[in-house]
């Protein structure tokens, strides 16, 4: 699992499986301080912990 800085308050979430590179979406901190993950066709908002947001998002997919 890799988090790469994209822009202010946004990181790209990616994972490598052998030679395959999978991008899970973007982790972003919203104006209300809650974290969200934007992926293809959806945005999911989570709590105030970026670790919990990633763990929950990846556990659902």
């Amino acid at each position: 699992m890799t988090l790469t800085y994209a822009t202010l308050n946004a990181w790209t979430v990616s994972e490598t499986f052998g030679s395959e590179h999978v991008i899970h979406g973007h982790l972003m901190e919203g104006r209300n301080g809650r974290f969200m993950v934007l992926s293809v066709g959806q945005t999911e908002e989570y709590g105030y912990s970026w670790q919990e947001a990633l763990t929950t998002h990846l556990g659902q997919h």
Side-chain angles (χ1 to χ4, degrees), residues 2-12:
T2 304
L3 284 177
T4 306
Y5 178 80
T7 61
L8 183 63
N9 295 331
W11 301 264
T12 300

Side-chain angles (χ1 to χ4, degrees), residues 40-52:
V40 178
Q42 65 183 9
T43 299
E44 298 176 76
E45 187 171 318
Y46 300 99
Y48 298 98
S49 163
W50 67 268
Q51 296 94 334
E52 183 182 338

Side-chain angles (χ1 to χ4, degrees), residues 6-47:
T7 61
L8 183 63
N9 295 331
W11 301 264
T12 300
V13 181
S14 61
E15 194 166 2
T16 303
F17 295 102
S19 63
E20 296 284 322
H21 186 75
V22 179
I23 295 178
H24 291 281
H26 296 282
L27 173 69
M28 300 183 74
E29 184 178 4
R31 290 186 187 135
N32 59 4
R34 295 174 65 109
F35 284 90
M36 61 188 89
V37 177
L38 286 70
S39 55
V40 178
Q42 65 183 9
T43 299
E44 298 176 76
E45 187 171 318
Y46 300 99

